[in-house]
Amino acid sequence: MKAFPLYILMIVATLGAAEPDAPSAGEKAYAKGDFAGAVESWQEEARHHGINPGLLAALGNAEWKLGRKGRAMVCWERSLLLDPHNAVALAGIRHGQNAGGVERPGATWPETYASVAGADLWLLVATLSFWAALGAVLLPRIRRQPAGEWNQRLRVTALTLLALCIPGLWGARSLAHRAVIRKTEISLRLTPTQLGEATQAVNEGDVVRTGRPFNGHIRVTTSDGKTGWLRAGEIEPVWGGGLPADLDQKAAP
Amino acid sequence: MLRLSSLLIGCLLLALTAHGDDRVNWEITPRITAPGQPFRLQIQVDSDVPLGGAQNVGRDIRPPRGMALRLSGQILRPDSTEATLNFSGVAPEQEGEYVIPSFNLRFPRKMISVPEIKLIVSKTVAFIRTNQARAELSIPDRTFYVGELIRGSINMRGGEQESVVASFGLESVAEGFTFGVTSDRQPLPAEMGQGLQTSFELTPIREGLNEVIINGIMLIQSGSTSVFNNAGRDRPFTFRRRIAVEHVPQKGRPADWSGAIGKFTAEPQQASNEKPEVGEPIRLRAVLTGSGNLDRIVPPEIMSNEVWDVLPATERRRHAEEQRFFVYTLVPRLPGKQKTPEIRFSSFDPETKQFSRLVFASAEVTVTGNAPAKVDLVTRDPAAPIGSDAGLKLSGLAKPDPASGSLFSRHSMIEPLAASKLFWSSNGLALLLIVAATGVILIAGYLASHPQIIIHWRAKRGLQRAIRQATRARGDAPAFAKIATGGLKLGCAAILGAETEAMTQSDILRVLPEAKRETLDALFDAADGNKFGSGTTIRTTNQEEALILLHLVRDLL
């Protein structure tokens, strides 16, 4: 039993030692300006060890440097889903909007509120609060005893947290229904059909709000409030993926 | 008048379409040819009207696959009703009987149908190929890639008896490719003998199995005289080649691949001025050499940094040397010995099917002058026109930190917890269990506080069983009495809240005041009298009354 704290110390020391001080191959390549090499290196790392906000944001930077706006925006947006305060991803998106002409819908107040914590954190807190409140209500009844002072405090705290989570959950849900346009030279269509009339041009890298799917198309709303239909293969949802999907057109360069 | 004009038009149409007086003869020389052997086709037309020159003959005639056939000319005689058309052709390479489908000859005043023409190709015919002039298609035999530049040539080789003096009419019918002649009618390399060479470039534009058809005519000259004397004559050729085209593989494709397919080498960068001042633009030239689709390559991009402002590339190409120049304008921002940014470039080799990466090595430049007080990292888009929105201050990208948050938050997919079925099903199941447990506890508690509910329910079930058994035991008086007495005791005990065995006739009368005392006495006597030696037999009427009493007690429960 005495060995347990020692074991924990060893783990912490190992984790500390594992933190690489020397730049990785991807970082070296990025610093040298070999952005394609950096992308390859970081993608390889992501495939083998999984992704994290920092890696996604770095990948977004390298993709942006290669001129692949769509892939870069997907990386940055996904990085922010995992860590809403990731400085590299925030700077990348700001740079994309300022310099790259990328359009991104402005955040509503529930979305701003939700971005204080990650979507999963809101749901976890809400779930825990719900169970805590339910437990606090049921436990005295099961024990056939009146609710004590601590039980009352627990009920109030849990119900307050649950109430505070509701706008966060709503904002997170709203943030989840977004996608990045991955194809160049496409337009919103009036109808979700092959011959749907083009209504407004949209650019690669633009972020749109997504609605219902129909007939292989998805209804989207652009940052300036224009709605229309885009083919499902022309956009990539922010949620539900790891590295950006390979949607590059196969046509001859 | 109308009738007359209709008659005239009818007569005219009849005259125009009449075939009765037209005679068409054809002759192929030789009648049977060897594979690849040239032949002549002569068509003679004899009509009832002056014919003149045939129009668009090549458009209507459809030679079979592998056969080259071209109109050589027509013998024209003024106001003659006869016409002779000569074709030259080359037999297909495969043995068999080939049919040129029926086609129309369009003369100014008449259209005449030519019947099917047959040509037999047989290997039994003696034919020395090297004696004749012949055309050969030279093109690599492998899978090609969309966007690749395929170089090929048509080698028109003279024979021992014929020489090639000219060529014309090269055309390509190749859907899925772009076709362009790069050099025409060049002398053949010495090792190939006398002849001409026409080089061309093909670029596949879509994947799949595509067919390239190239047609043309070469002019040949022969000194000898023979049956097939083609002196000063034209000879057509046609090539059909199926070519497999694929897209450049996705696997292993570098992120900066910009469409280069071929074999290239990158030469070191060359700066126009090796000692510029701070702020003085210099031109940086990168030369890409090699064989491949140089025209289709998107120039590699150099990003501005703290040392250099970079303006977008311009480019030039020197076609003959298979080179392409990328020229960048760089403006130094800091003094000192500086290296120009490396230019990276990826290409795909279609023969090894591998991607390779090239680097245009940096050039060293000594920048003179003074450094500005502060150098901002890419603050403005250097290529933006003055006063435009694009020239607004840029925020720049932050330095990447791929290790941040990597200790405990590695994900294979970014799936929201809200999309997890396990999360919702486990929470839903827990809630359902709690609701169910609460319901069970509430019901059990209610029943515990109201025990008569279960007593009445059990008594009712016992009474129903007693009624069924009593009905069946009518013939057996003692058994009937025992069952009926037991049922009445059970029911009345539940109603009175007493023990079943303690019930007497008086207790039953308290529950059922309308019951007759005699009937109950007889029933109890028949049921239990034997114990005391005074057992009697219950009458049938009493049995009916007992059954009625059992039903009454059941209804009271």
Side-chain angles (χ1 to χ4, degrees), chain B residues 321-535:
Chain B
E321 295 178 16
E322 300 296 343
Q323 285 184 331
R324 187 159 164 187
F325 296 168
F326 305 117
V327 181
Y328 302 84
T329 304
L330 271 64
V331 185
R333 298 155 67 102
L334 291 174
K337 278 196 172 182
Q338 307 289 0
K339 281 193 167 184
T340 56
E342 284 185 340
I343 304 170
R344 293 167 200 284
F345 176 80
S346 295
S347 67
F348 178 73
D349 188 336
E351 290 178 359
T352 61
K353 301 184 179 180
Q354 297 289 322
F355 287 95
S356 58
R357 184 163 288 165
L358 306 173
V359 178
F360 295 88
S362 300
E364 198 169 277
V365 175
T366 306
V367 183
T368 57
N370 297 318
K374 180 172 176 275
V375 176
D376 288 330
L377 282 175
V378 192
T379 52
R380 285 176 184 276
D381 181 358
I386 294 168
S388 70
D389 288 345
L392 292 173
K393 187 175 171 64
L394 309 181
S395 49
L397 298 174
K399 187 184 175 191
D401 181 13
S404 67
S406 63
L407 284 179
F408 303 108
S409 58
R410 287 280 180 175
H411 307 257
S412 58
M413 292 278 285
I414 304 176
E415 287 285 358
L417 188 60
S420 164
K421 286 181 181 170
L422 183 68
F423 174 81
W424 289 113
S425 55
S426 55
N427 275 286
L429 187 66
L431 192 62
L432 195 69
L433 284 175
I434 285 177
V435 170
T438 307
V440 168
I441 288 167
L442 285 174
I443 292 167
Y446 184 80
L447 289 177
S449 59
H450 299 83
Q452 69 274 15
I453 294 173
I454 293 175
I455 293 169
H456 278 227
W457 177 70
R458 284 180 182 161
K460 196 168 188 175
R461 286 187 62 192
L463 261 172
Q464 281 173 339
R465 194 166 54 245
I467 289 167
R468 283 197 302 274
Q469 289 173 353
T471 308
R472 282 199 297 270
R474 275 181 176 171
D476 184 359
F480 178 86
K482 275 188 180 174
I483 293 165
T485 311
L488 287 171
K489 283 180 178 179
L490 184 67
C492 292
I495 291 167
L496 295 173
E499 288 297 321
T500 306
E501 292 305 319
M503 290 294 103
T504 62
Q505 295 93 314
S506 304
D507 297 323
I508 292 166
L509 278 172
R510 281 169 60 197
V511 176
L512 298 170
E514 62 273 33
K516 291 178 182 171
R517 178 73 191 205
E518 305 82 52
T519 307
L520 291 175
D521 286 344
L523 202 60
F524 273 73
D525 197 22
D528 299 327
N530 287 339
K531 295 178 188 172
F532 311 106
S534 63

Side-chain angles (χ1 to χ4, degrees), chain B residues 171-213:
Chain B
E171 60 178 20
S172 158
V173 187
E175 288 183 10
F177 293 88
T178 58
F179 179 86
V181 174
T182 51
S183 66
D184 204 4
R185 298 169 204 147
Q186 300 296 312
L188 272 177
E191 65 272 16
M192 296 180 80
Q194 190 277 330
L196 298 175
Q197 186 180 53
T198 295
S199 303
F200 60 85
E201 289 176 346
L202 274 176
T203 300
I205 54 175
R206 67 168 180 238
E207 68 175 336
L209 200 60
N210 300 312
E211 190 171 53
V212 175
I213 305 168

Side-chain angles (χ1 to χ4, degrees), chain B residues 79-384:
Chain B
D79 299 326
S80 172
T81 58
E82 292 178 1
T84 303
L85 290 96
N86 290 315
F87 294 83
S88 56
V90 177
E93 293 292 337
Q94 305 293 325
E95 275 191 308
E97 188 176 283
Y98 292 84
V99 176
I100 301 168
S102 172
F103 61 97
N104 293 321
L105 290 173
R106 299 169 196 277
F107 294 97
R109 294 181 59 186
K110 201 165 194 179
M111 189 168 70
I112 293 170
S113 176
V114 179
E116 284 181 351
I117 297 168
K118 288 182 182 171
L119 173 70
I120 297 168
V121 179
S122 170
K123 286 181 179 171
T124 57
V125 176
F127 170 65
I128 304 169
R129 192 180 287 253
T130 53
N131 284 349
Q132 307 283 322
R134 60 202 179 277
E136 294 166 354
L137 176 67
S138 171
I139 195 170
D141 185 18
R142 59 172 172 81
T143 300
F144 296 102
Y145 295 90
V146 175
E148 182 184 354
L149 187 75
I150 307 166
R151 290 204 169 86
S153 63
I154 296 164
N155 302 321
M156 292 163 276
R157 304 176 69 173
E160 289 171 11
Q161 296 174 0
E162 293 176 340
S163 56
V164 181
V165 292
S167 72
F168 63 92
L170 189 70
E171 60 178 20
S172 158
V173 187
E175 288 183 10
F177 293 88
T178 58
F179 179 86
V181 174
T182 51
S183 66
D184 204 4
R185 298 169 204 147
Q186 300 296 312
L188 272 177
E191 65 272 16
M192 296 180 80
Q194 190 277 330
L196 298 175
Q197 186 180 53
T198 295
S199 303
F200 60 85
E201 289 176 346
L202 274 176
T203 300
I205 54 175
R206 67 168 180 238
E207 68 175 336
L209 200 60
N210 300 312
E211 190 171 53
V212 175
I213 305 168
I214 299 172
N215 300 317
I217 299 170
M218 55 185 178
L219 279 177
I220 57 170
Q221 206 163 34
S222 171
S224 66
T225 53
S226 71
V227 180
F228 320 118
N229 189 0
N230 289 332
R233 177 168 293 284
D234 60 326
R235 180 167 300 158
F237 56 82
T238 186
F239 301 106
R240 285 169 179 257
R241 182 75 64 87
R242 282 193 178 278
I243 292 177
V245 179
E246 292 177 359
H247 280 290
V248 170
Q250 293 272 355
K251 191 179 177 185
R253 188 190 290 182
D256 61 350
W257 183 75
S258 56
I261 304 175
K263 288 183 177 173
F264 305 99
T265 50
E267 295 179 9
Q269 299 173 13
Q270 299 162 11
S272 62
N273 181 359
E274 292 180 353
K275 290 184 179 176
E277 284 186 26
V278 169
E280 180 188 352
I282 61 168
R283 278 190 306 119
L284 188 72
R285 195 174 71 158
V287 183
L288 184 70
T289 311
S291 59
N293 57 350
L294 286 161
D295 277 340
R296 288 180 165 250
I297 296 169
V298 179
E301 200 174 346
I302 317 179
M303 302 300 288
S304 297
N305 55 32
E306 61 266 34
V307 180
W308 301 100
D309 266 349
V310 183
L311 270 69
T314 55
E315 49 185 310
R316 289 209 316 268
R317 183 185 177 193
R318 278 199 286 176
H319 190 92
E321 295 178 16
E322 300 296 343
Q323 285 184 331
R324 187 159 164 187
F325 296 168
F326 305 117
V327 181
Y328 302 84
T329 304
L330 271 64
V331 185
R333 298 155 67 102
L334 291 174
K337 278 196 172 182
Q338 307 289 0
K339 281 193 167 184
T340 56
E342 284 185 340
I343 304 170
R344 293 167 200 284
F345 176 80
S346 295
S347 67
F348 178 73
D349 188 336
E351 290 178 359
T352 61
K353 301 184 179 180
Q354 297 289 322
F355 287 95
S356 58
R357 184 163 288 165
L358 306 173
V359 178
F360 295 88
S362 300
E364 198 169 277
V365 175
T366 306
V367 183
T368 57
N370 297 318
K374 180 172 176 275
V375 176
D376 288 330
L377 282 175
V378 192
T379 52
R380 285 176 184 276
D381 181 358

